[in-house]
Amino acid sequence: MTFATCDLCDAHEDKLAAGTLHVLPPIFASFGRKQSFCGPARTLKVFEDNVLVRATLETPGQGHVLVVDGGGSLRCALVGGNLAQLAQDNGWAGILVNGCVRDAAELNACEVGIRALATHPQRSFRKGAGDADIKVGIAGVAVYPGDWIYADVDGVLVSRSAL
């Protein structure tokens, strides 16, 4: 699918005004070989623990975007090169992390789109805590399972329906 977030915003000003289309703040860095990606959201809420992230990426992605609400933590990474490879191998369209990633060179070699706040060399804890398929908050925007995520070089959009 070819799209431009700028064009989507222009074409759907009514949805922006109605609050069914949101533009995330421009705080996310881009990783992975796919500069543009979109798909329905699968959501996780974790904090400095990536066990659920791995378990989810081990399942068939079917073109979905994994949205990880990591609470905005900048103290460790939730996604690294091995998980990006899982995402690529299992058909995920992309990953959006409200937190950090690591292994940037490995991420950039994968055919998947990734957005995250920053890089951090330390891996996360592995306790298995968190929730899946719930409403999460990403940079002040609510994201529900099934919402559509559109990301390209200009930004990231969250839409209640496919555009």
Side-chain angles (χ1 to χ4, degrees):
M1 172 186 234
T2 302
F3 66 90
T5 56
C6 294
D7 293 341
L8 291 174
C9 285
D10 292 351
H12 298 284
E13 289 179 341
D14 57 328
K15 292 178 189 269
L16 287 165
T20 59
L21 175 62
H22 298 274
V23 179
L24 293 183
I27 57 174
F28 294 94
S30 178
F31 303 92
R33 296 184 77 175
K34 283 190 176 179
Q35 291 299 303
S36 296
F37 61 92
C38 68
R42 293 268 317 272
T43 61
L44 297 177
K45 185 173 181 66
V46 299
F47 189 73
E48 299 179 357
D49 183 337
N50 77 345
V51 170
L52 279 178
V53 178
R54 173 179 284 281
T56 303
L57 291 173
E58 287 174 341
T59 66
Q62 301 172 323
H64 284 76
V65 175
L66 182 60
V67 178
V68 182
D69 178 1
S73 173
L74 300 177
R75 300 189 314 186
C76 65
L78 294 173
V79 173
N82 291 335
L83 297 189
Q85 187 67 48
L86 277 175
Q88 173 188 295
D89 293 347
N90 290 321
W92 290 85
I95 307 170
L96 173 63
V97 183
N98 187 23
C100 293
V101 296
R102 69 186 210 156
D103 304 320
E106 292 176 36
L107 299 179
N108 289 334
C110 288
E111 285 293 333
V112 65
I114 302 168
R115 299 294 185 275
L117 297 178
T119 57
H120 196 293
Q122 183 179 336
R123 71 178 177 190
S124 72
F125 300 103
R126 296 183 179 159
K127 297 179 181 177
D131 295 297
D133 300 317
I134 63 168
K135 177 184 95 169
V136 296
I138 305 295
V141 174
V143 180
Y144 296 85
D147 281 357
W148 275 75
I149 308 299
Y150 294 87
D152 69 3
V153 295
D154 287 313
V156 181
L157 307 179
V158 178
S159 177
R160 298 287 175 252
S161 59
L163 301 177

